[in-house]
Amino acid sequence: MLPRPDGRYAEYFYVSGVEPERVEAYGTEMETVDITILAEYEDGGSLEFLVSGNCPAFRLTELGALPREIRGIEGQGRLVAEIPAEASPSEVVETFLQEYPDASLLSKREKDGIAPRFPDAEFRQVLQKHLTDRQREVLKTAFEAGYYEWPRECTGEDVAAELDITSATFSEHIQAAERKLLTIMFNGPEAGH
C-alpha cells in the first residue's frame, strides 16, 4: 500500500486463477475503489486498486498499522499487518475487530524490527540504476517532508510546492518511482529494467 496525494491509497495485487478483467469489472460496483490492470499473465495478472475507504487494509492503515499481506481465497480473506508499538497494538486490534465483527484475530507475534528486502549497498545501486534523478529527488523530498509518515506530516501538494512543480507532476513522478520500486521489490532487482 502506498499513499496517494489525493488521500487515497494504492494497493497492488497479484491475482491467479481468474481473469484480471473479471476483477476489474467487480471493482466497478464499488464506489471507493478504482481498479487498473497493470499486467496480464497466463493464469492471472497484476492490478492496482486505488481505495478511498470501505477497505479493511485502508482502515488498518488509518489506525496506524502497516498492512503487509492481503489474501483472498474462495471467499475467505486474510490480512497480515505489522503494528508499531507506538500505535498501541491492542487498541488497533480492538477497534478493528469492533468495526469488522466478521473478522477474527488468528495470531499475533512480536518482532524486533522489519527486515529489509535488500542490503543497503544493493538498494542504493537499485535506486541509482532504475530511477531517474527527478524521481529520486521527488521521493527523497517527500520522505524528508513526512509524506510517508502516519499520520502524514504533509500533503502531496506541500511536497509539490517545495519542489516548485504542479501537484499533477508530483503525482506522475512519485507514482512512476513507486511502481518501479515495487516491481523490483516483488520481482527482484533485474525486473526494474
Side-chain angles (χ1 to χ4, degrees):
M1 280 182 81
L2 295 170
R4 288 285 163 247
D6 59 5
R8 298 187 296 173
Y9 278 84
E11 299 178 5
Y12 295 90
F13 292 95
Y14 172 78
V15 297
S16 62
V18 64
E19 294 176 2
E21 292 84 6
R22 187 169 162 210
V23 177
E24 184 181 40
Y26 175 73
T28 61
E29 301 170 14
M30 305 166 71
E31 291 179 20
T32 58
V33 179
D34 292 319
I35 300 174
T36 303
I37 298 172
L38 302 175
E40 293 189 53
Y41 310 111
E42 188 174 312
D43 68 334
S46 296
L47 299 109
E48 176 186 63
F49 288 49
L50 289 175
V51 297
S52 59
N54 196 24
C55 168
F58 184 95
R59 182 60 181 136
L60 273 176
T61 302
E62 288 181 321
L63 293 170
L66 306 166
R68 294 297 187 210
E69 179 182 324
I70 302 167
R71 288 184 176 259
I73 300 173
E74 296 181 12
Q76 293 293 312
R78 177 185 166 120
L79 198 145
V80 177
E82 293 182 16
I83 306 172
E86 61 269 13
S88 183
S90 60
E91 287 181 28
V92 170
V93 170
E94 184 179 317
T95 301
F96 183 82
L97 292 176
Q98 286 174 356
E99 294 179 12
Y100 292 89
D102 292 341
S104 60
L105 178 64
L106 294 179
S107 67
K108 59 183 178 177
R109 297 179 186 94
E110 282 192 35
K111 290 177 62 175
D112 290 333
I114 299 171
R117 173 82 159 107
F118 304 110
D120 284 347
E122 186 177 347
F123 185 71
R124 290 186 194 287
Q125 286 177 343
V126 165
L127 289 177
Q128 289 298 321
K129 183 177 180 180
H130 298 290
L131 299 181
T132 67
D133 291 342
R134 190 62 161 167
Q135 289 169 346
R136 281 192 302 277
E137 178 187 20
V138 168
L139 277 175
K140 183 177 182 191
T141 303
F143 179 78
E144 290 174 350
Y147 178 76
Y148 291 104
E149 295 297 322
W150 189 259
R152 276 192 187 161
E153 295 174 3
C154 68
T155 65
E157 290 82 13
D158 296 333
V159 179
E162 188 172 328
L163 291 165
D164 197 28
I165 58 177
T166 66
S167 294
T169 301
F170 167 75
S171 292
E172 179 182 320
H173 285 305
I174 204 152
Q175 288 179 26
E178 289 169 349
R179 189 162 287 156
K180 285 180 185 178
L181 292 176
L182 285 169
T183 300
I184 292 164
M185 186 173 81
F186 292 123
N187 298 327
E190 296 308 312
H193 293 295

